[in-house]
């Protein structure tokens, strides 16, 4: 009882949206200055948080949004604004000061959500679960969700090797690049949300 087409379609969609290769520099930037064991734990926590959020919205997505009277475009715009604030911190170097972030678990926000479990991933999962009418399709949907989270964990877990190669100067460079990439992602997310609002009006 397994639908390869459903699995492949959702896995590829989530791979593009959650972008495991693209999350690597952002993960390195946000966890810079922390011990290796802490970074490994944060990689696992981020994936668990993302998985939990995706699962909840996969099961109860429509009910949650309807109860809160929140539209999908509004979710996208809010997530984009949050990402933009984080990107500005990375670009201006505020995260370089350990005392500002040492007590903050970035595995929860922004890594777990909205970077991994962002509006795009949430909406894709809600729609995939809604369209999966057979038991085989449902199994395939949840298998794809599990598979992408395993990939995300592996990418972040072994990205720590990069730190040993690029040293502190490289981490600063990666931080600035991550900020620029993240700001572009945030702006695009806001544009997509605003576009959907305009099209729906």
């Amino acid at each position: 009882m397994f639908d390869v087409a459903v699995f492949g379609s959702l896995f590829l969609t989530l791979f593009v949206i959650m972008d495991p290769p693209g999350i690597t520099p952002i993960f390195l930037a946000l966890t810079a200055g922390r011990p290796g064991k802490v970074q490994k734990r944060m990689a696992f926590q981020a994936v668990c948080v993302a998985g939990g959020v995706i699962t909840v919205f996969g099961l109860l997505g429509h009910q949650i949004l309807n109860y809160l009277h929140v539209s999908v475009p509004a979710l996208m715009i809010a997530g984009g604004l949050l990402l933009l604030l984080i990107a500005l911190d990375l670009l201006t170097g505020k995260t370089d000061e350990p005392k500002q972030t040492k007590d903050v678990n970035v595995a929860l926000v922004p890594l777990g959500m909205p970077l991994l479990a962002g509006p795009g991933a949430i909406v894709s999962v809600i729609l995939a679960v809604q369209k999966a009418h057979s038991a085989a399709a449902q199994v395939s949907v949840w298998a794809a969700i599990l598979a992408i989270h395993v990939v995300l964990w592996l990418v972040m877990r072994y990205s720590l090797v990069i730190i040993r190669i690029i040293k502190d100067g490289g981490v600063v460079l990666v931080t600035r690049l991550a900020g620029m990439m993240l700001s572009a992602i945030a702006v695009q997310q806001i544009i997509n949300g605003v576009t959907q609002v305009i099209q729906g009006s």
Side-chain angles (χ1 to χ4, degrees):
M1 294 181 62
F2 193 80
D3 192 323
V4 177
V6 171
F7 174 88
S9 175
L10 182 58
F11 181 83
L12 288 175
T13 299
L14 291 177
F15 189 91
V16 171
I17 293 172
M18 301 176 89
D19 191 15
I23 201 65
T24 302
I26 297 171
F27 173 76
L28 290 174
L30 292 174
T31 61
R34 292 175 170 84
K37 287 184 178 180
V38 174
Q39 290 176 315
K40 292 174 185 176
R41 186 173 71 245
M42 292 177 82
F44 181 72
Q45 288 175 337
V47 170
C48 287
V49 169
V53 171
I54 291 290
T55 299
V56 169
F57 275 93
L59 295 172
L60 304 169
H62 279 293
Q63 293 90 326
I64 292 172
L65 294 180
N66 289 337
Y67 177 77
L68 296 174
H69 302 290
V70 173
S71 65
V72 172
L75 188 66
M76 295 177 71
I77 294 170
L81 290 172
L82 178 58
L83 287 181
L84 188 57
L85 289 174
I86 296 160
L88 291 175
D89 279 349
L90 292 175
L91 283 169
T92 56
K94 288 184 179 179
T95 54
D96 290 342
E97 301 176 24
K99 62 184 179 182
Q100 289 190 352
T101 58
K102 65 178 182 180
D103 296 324
V104 177
N105 190 351
V106 295
L108 306 180
V109 176
L111 277 173
M113 183 177 181
L115 279 176
L116 297 181
I122 289 172
V123 171
S124 296
V125 168
I126 290 174
L127 294 176
V129 171
Q130 189 178 27
K131 293 176 183 177
H133 300 297
S134 66
Q138 284 286 343
V139 169
S140 302
V141 164
W142 292 106
I145 293 170
L146 177 62
I148 192 63
H149 283 83
V150 170
V151 171
L152 285 165
W153 174 74
L154 289 173
V155 168
M156 288 190 291
R157 167 68 174 75
Y158 291 102
S159 67
L160 301 177
V161 178
I162 299 172
I163 294 177
R164 301 191 189 101
I165 300 172
I166 64 177
K167 308 295 182 184
D168 290 342
V171 170
V172 172
L173 176 61
V174 167
T175 300
R176 300 297 182 269
L177 290 173
M180 190 163 58
M181 289 165 49
L182 197 55
S183 62
I185 293 171
V187 171
Q188 186 60 56
Q189 194 162 290
I190 293 170
I191 291 172
N192 291 344
V194 172
T195 301
Q196 289 192 26
V197 170
I198 293 172
Q199 289 176 344
S201 61

